[in-house]
Structure formats: C-alpha cells, structure tokens
Amino acid sequence: MTRECPAPARKPGAPPSGPVLAEAAVVFAVVLSIHAAVWDRYSWCAVTLAVQAFYVQYKWDRLLQEGNAVFQFRMSANSGLLPASMVMPLLGLVMKERCQAAGNQHFERFGVVVVATGMAVALFSSVLALGITRPMPTNTCAISGLAGGVIIYIMKHSLSVGEVIEVLEVLLIFVYLNMILLYLLPRCFTPGEALLVLGGLSFVLNQLIKRSLTVVESQGDPMDFFLLVVVVGMVLIGIFFSTLFLFMDSGTWASSIFFHLMTCVLGLGVVLPWLHWLIHRNPLLWLLQFLFQTETRIYLLVYWFLLAVLACLVVLYQNAKRSSSESKKHQAPAITRKYFHFIVVATYIPGIMFDRPLLYVAATVCLAVFIFLEYVRYFRIKPLGHTLRSLLSLFLDERDSGPLILTHIYLLLGMSLPVWLIPRPCAQKGSLGGARALAPYSGVLAVGVGDTVASIFGSTMGEIQWPGTKKTFEGTMTSIFAQIISVALILIFDSGVDLNYSYAWLLGSISTVSLLEAYTTQIDNLLLPLYLLILLMA
C-alpha cells in the first residue's frame, strides 16, 4: 500500500477494469489448483460456478455504479461476487478430501453439504443480480442457466433427501437474513461480503437448529456447541434490539437500562438454557472448569489479559493525541492501526502452539464481547455508548462507510476462522500433514503478518504500483518474504509442524494470497485467511 492515487471511474457498461480482471485471475488460479488436487465431480462444479460468477459479477458491478441495486451496498469497492462465491464451495471440497483421507464418513458428507450449500447461495445471488438488471442480459442469463443446471443436476444425484432439505433450509434462512440485515445495515457490505457473511451465518443457524432438534442423538464437542450458540445468540439479540429501537430512542437512560436488563434476560433465560440443553451441563461451570483446567491455561489467560490492556492503552493514547491536536478530525494513521495486527499475532501464536482448544473458546468469548460492545456503540447505550463512538472513530477507514464499525470484528474472525473451521475429528487422524499442518496459522500468516507488512512497507517504501490499484509491488514482495520468515520461525518453535518437502505448494499458496491482497477491494481481514486456509488444507 502506498500513496493514494484514485483509480479512474469506470463508465457504466464498460468492460471490467484491470484490477477486477486481475482479482478474477487470482481466484481462478485458486479454483483450478483445488480442482487439480481434488479432481472429482464436485471440483468440476466449482469450476463451473467460478465461470458463471465471473460473468454475473460484471452485472452486479454495473448495478452498483448505476445505483440500481435493491439494497444500499458499500460503494468503495466492486461487488466481489466471484471471490466470495468460491469460499464456501472450495472450503467444503478440501474439508471433504481431508475427512475422506482420515476415513471419517460423517464429516466427509458434511463437507459435501458445505459444497452444495455454498453453491446454492452463490447461485441465488446471481439470480438476484440478473433478475433486477435492465435490459435483461441474455448471454449472461444463458451462461448462468447452463451452469446452474449442471450444478443442480450433479448435486441432485450426489445428495440424499435429508441433505437436499438441509441445503434448502440454509438457502431459505439466507434469503430472510438478506432482507432483514441488509435493510437494517445499509452500506455495511458489498454484495460479495453479504454473501460471505450472511451465508456463513445462515449455515451456522441451520446447524444449531438441526443439532438442537436431534440433541438426544448428537454427541458433539461442547466447544462447537458453545461457538454455535454464542454466534447465533448475539445475532438474534442484535436483530431484536434493532427492531425495538426503530420505535423508541435508544440514547436515553431508560432505554439503556432496558437494554442491559433485556440482554441479561435473553442471555440467562434463552442462550444459557439453550447451551445447557445441548451440552447436558451447566454452561458457566463448564466454562470455568475449562478455562482453568491446567496451569498452562492460566498463564495464557494472564498473558492475553496483559495484551488486552496494551491494546486499550494504544486506543487511549491515540485519543489523547486527538485531544491535543488542533484538528477535530484527527485520525489514527494506517500504520498505527496495524499495531493491533501485531497484538493479535502475539495473542494467537502461543494459543495455536500450546493450547488450541483454549484459543478456540477464548476467541468465541472475545467475539461475543466485541459484538456486544458494537451494539452499545451503535445504539448509544449509556454509560459507554458515546465514549466508544469517540474512541473507535479514530480507527475508521473507507471500509467503515455504514452505521456499523466491523473492521476489528473482521480482524478477529480472520484470525479465528482457521482455528474454528478445521474439522478436528479428521485432523486427529493425521490427515493434516505437510503444509496442511500450517492451516491453523492461516490467519496469522495472511493478515497478522502478510497484510501488516504489505501495508507498512508499501506505504513507506513502495514506488511501483500494481496497475489500477494503490498497492505496490514492494509491499507484496515484502509480504511474501515476511510470511516465509514466519513459517521458518513456526517450524523452529512448533514441533507439531513438519512440511514434508511441500515447500513449493506453500510458497505458491502464500504468493497467490498475497496477489489477491494486492488486487481485492473486499475486506481482506476476512477473505485472505479463508483462501490461504483452503490452499493449505488442499
């Protein structure tokens, strides 16, 4: 990243710009790499989906430029449909392959359901774009119809009746979440980000409902249930208060007291009993016993607490600088915002090395805290609402154009998703050898190291810009080099990682994701770790 030179505006109806084509080329490289590694009918479906998503992305971009989209999307980026459409199908593909290698048939079928679900929500987003485009794009409709027909035909003969119903349930939830959240949260997402975030939420909500209805039969890990209930619970609480505060002022003391009381009622009266029903134990006692189970966990918790205090001190220091500054619009520089990337790297690396289950649960608790504080800031809940608005406004960038501030939540998700998404029953049977052993570090490498180094060196030393972007060749190269150095350090300190001569695949994966960082206009904190996770697991 370097000097901000705005790219020239593209006229409606013009062909895709160079950065969009370059981003698409990187995504196609990932899709073809996974296809070569898997080479089955599902990977052929992924290639077909990528082709149709590329054509439909152009239609979404045109809708955004002409202001004809159904909802208000974030305008400082392209639609991002292609990179977002491929995340869930590719993740399901590599998950299926790893679990098949480990002989875990249940999770192998789960991976197939993830593939089918990802393709279903991507096809829905494509149909939505084509349905509201005027005049109707005949050629793109033909391509999408052909691709959709092939995918539906193959999936119809690959899924059981129960799995088909599960995919349709997720699609129905996705439709309703789109209508609700995109209306309540204008300009917070691009179409691609909405597809990625709301598609993931829909899948999580459906999994929680499914497991709640079959709780007698299910024998899942309490950590998984904890994650599902926390994520769904926080989202439902947010929807409840968003609807409620449409009819009343949220900034008064009466509303604030009501907010805190209702949060306690919903948490203690709905979320905790729901979790108790799933894990057959008192959730609070289970959590306390889990957190303080070993001496190592106590040391890690103390260490993480000190890092949290350090992060708060950085925020307060920047606020003090703004108070002493003559400018009322003082903003923390981009390099200062990267301090938090270093802090999360220092947080996650010891957790991955020494106690991954503790990191799994701690990240879930941290996500709940972040979402709750964002509710307090957004609704101006007393006594902290206005203070949080003032403090967090220091760290805004062009991606926070909507009413919510999501970049810090995306950073937490990007670091945590590789830890959450790896199927542990399959990993425990030795299917994650070689470069796959680095999969939990995907967030650390892609965002904590790669994106941070690219930003710092690109903005301070970068001279050669990638065509059509503000990113620089020097930033990308130093990002790749820094990630390679980080891998070398991980090999030294983490005895559980052994690359087994898979250096070429690792270097190619890091380089590909670094190129994606250079060209994408989507939320890189969320997108880059997922693509690196997919490549490393393949």
Side-chain angles (χ1 to χ4, degrees), residues 341-378:
H341 287 231
F342 287 119
I343 291 175
V344 294
V345 167
T347 300
Y348 274 74
I349 286 182
I352 296 173
M353 285 185 178
F354 299 116
D355 200 328
R356 206 169 297 171
L358 176 65
L359 180 63
Y360 188 108
V361 172
T364 305
V365 174
C366 193
L367 177 63
V369 172
F370 275 23
I371 295 176
F372 176 77
L373 291 178
E374 180 57 21
Y375 290 157
V376 171
R377 186 207 65 84
Y378 174 65

Side-chain angles (χ1 to χ4, degrees), residues 1 333-343 451-452 455-456:
M1 300 180 184
I335 294 179
T336 302
R337 292 198 293 268
K338 298 304 178 182
Y339 289 164
F340 296 103
H341 287 231
F342 287 119
I343 291 175
D451 182 51
T452 304
S455 177
I456 294 174

Side-chain angles (χ1 to χ4, degrees), residues 162-349:
E163 290 169 341
V164 171
I165 294 174
E166 186 173 351
V167 172
L168 294 177
E169 289 170 349
V170 176
L171 183 59
L172 182 62
I173 296 172
F174 177 73
V175 172
Y176 279 107
L177 282 182
N178 266 274
M179 292 189 295
I180 295 172
L181 294 182
L182 293 182
Y183 171 76
L184 293 174
L185 304 173
R187 304 180 309 279
C188 284
F189 308 99
T190 64
E193 291 162 3
L195 169 63
L196 189 58
V197 174
L198 301 185
L201 282 177
S202 303
F203 193 84
V204 167
L205 179 56
N206 183 70
Q207 284 297 307
L208 181 57
I209 295 173
K210 175 186 174 183
R211 298 189 186 194
S212 299
L213 294 176
T214 59
V215 66
V216 177
E217 304 172 7
S218 62
Q219 299 292 330
D221 194 315
M223 294 193 305
D224 295 329
F225 289 129
F226 183 66
L227 175 63
L228 293 176
V229 172
V230 165
V231 171
V232 173
M234 295 306 296
V235 172
L236 293 180
I237 287 174
I239 293 175
F240 171 78
F241 284 115
S242 295
T243 306
L244 180 67
F245 289 139
L246 287 175
F247 306 99
M248 59 187 296
D249 184 7
S250 62
T252 64
W253 271 109
S255 297
S256 300
I257 293 172
F258 178 76
F259 172 86
H260 293 298
L261 289 176
M262 282 303 299
T263 300
C264 292
V265 169
L266 294 173
L268 298 176
V270 178
V271 175
L272 286 182
W274 198 348
L275 187 55
H276 186 281
W277 168 257
L278 291 169
I279 67 175
H280 309 293
R281 297 175 60 183
N282 186 306
L284 294 178
L285 291 179
W286 168 80
L287 183 60
L288 289 174
Q289 292 173 358
F290 180 87
L291 293 178
F292 301 102
Q293 191 170 14
T294 65
E295 190 174 343
T296 301
R297 292 186 174 179
I298 296 175
Y299 289 144
L300 279 173
L301 291 173
V302 172
Y303 170 68
W304 289 340
F305 174 77
L306 295 176
L307 289 176
V309 171
L310 176 61
C312 293
L313 291 176
V314 171
V315 174
L316 294 176
Y317 172 72
Q318 288 297 321
N319 185 61
K321 286 182 63 176
R322 176 172 63 177
S323 300
S324 61
S325 173
E326 296 181 359
S327 173
K328 295 182 179 180
K329 294 184 178 181
H330 173 77
Q331 288 291 113
I335 294 179
T336 302
R337 292 198 293 268
K338 298 304 178 182
Y339 289 164
F340 296 103
H341 287 231
F342 287 119
I343 291 175
V344 294
V345 167
T347 300
Y348 274 74
I349 286 182

Side-chain angles (χ1 to χ4, degrees), residues 135-149:
M136 185 71 72
T138 308
N139 293 337
T140 307
C141 286
I143 292 172
S144 295
L146 180 62

Side-chain angles (χ1 to χ4, degrees), residues 431-442 445 487 491 497-507 509 532-533 535-538:
S431 66
L432 294 183
R436 304 183 192 106
L438 287 169
Y441 291 96
S442 299
L445 293 173
V487 170
L491 288 172
V497 177
D498 183 5
L499 293 183
N500 294 332
Y501 304 104
S502 54
Y503 303 107
W505 184 269
L506 175 63
L507 178 60
S509 301
L532 186 57
L533 172 66
L535 286 168
L536 292 180
M537 284 186 64

Side-chain angles (χ1 to χ4, degrees), residues 31 34-49 86 90 93 96 115 119 155:
V31 172
I34 302 302
H35 176 51
V38 176
W39 201 262
D40 62 10
R41 53 187 172 180
Y42 306 113
S43 64
W44 279 110
C45 286
V47 174
T48 305
L49 179 68
M86 302 314 302
L90 294 180
L93 272 175
K96 176 187 74 69
V115 174
M119 293 184 178
M155 289 301 171

